[in-house]
Structure formats: C-alpha cells, structure tokens
Amino acid sequence: MEVIVCKRCGRKLKSKKSKEKQIGPTCEKKLLLDFYKKRQITIDDILRKGECDK
Ligand SMILES: [Zn+2]
C-alpha cells in the first residue's frame, strides 16, 4: 500500500480524500484560516455576506 503523508505536517494520511489533496483535514482547516487571516476576512464574515445576498 502506498503511503502518502500530509504536505503540511508530514503525518500519514488515512482517508481517500486527504490522500488526493495530500493534506489532512486538520491542516486543511488551518491553511484556510491562515488564508482568510491574511486577507483579514473570517469565515463568519463570508457566511454573513452570503446571507445578506439573499
Ligand atoms: Zn497535516
């Protein structure tokens, strides 16, 4: 069996989805959070904007 590790933390990935992305779910969330922090937008802001657009 092929061993694929997370490109962020180097842990072995178990789920098929994680292996496809080469990143674990926890690290994926952290990457997303970092991304939004850099843009000074939070996930909450995006969700709220989505509601206002209705
Ligand atoms: Zn990881």
Side-chain angles (χ1 to χ4, degrees):
M1 217 174 87
E2 196 182 358
V3 175
I4 298 171
V5 296
C6 174
K7 61 185 172 184
R8 189 171 182 271
C9 70
R11 281 188 204 165
K12 282 181 195 171
L13 297 174
K14 286 176 190 170
S15 87
K16 211 178 175 184
K17 271 188 185 178
S18 300
K19 283 178 183 174
E20 279 169 7
K21 293 184 219 165
Q22 296 185 3
I23 190 162
T26 309
C27 288
E28 196 181 7
K29 273 181 205 164
K30 282 180 185 171
L31 277 183
L32 276 176
L33 284 175
D34 286 349
F35 178 76
Y36 290 126
K37 269 182 203 163
K38 276 177 198 165
R39 290 168 159 250
Q40 299 198 320
I41 298 171
T42 66
I43 289 169
D44 282 345
D45 288 336
I46 290 160
L47 291 175
R48 270 181 221 138
K49 272 179 196 167
E51 278 182 15
C52 291
D53 287 339
K54 275 178 194 170

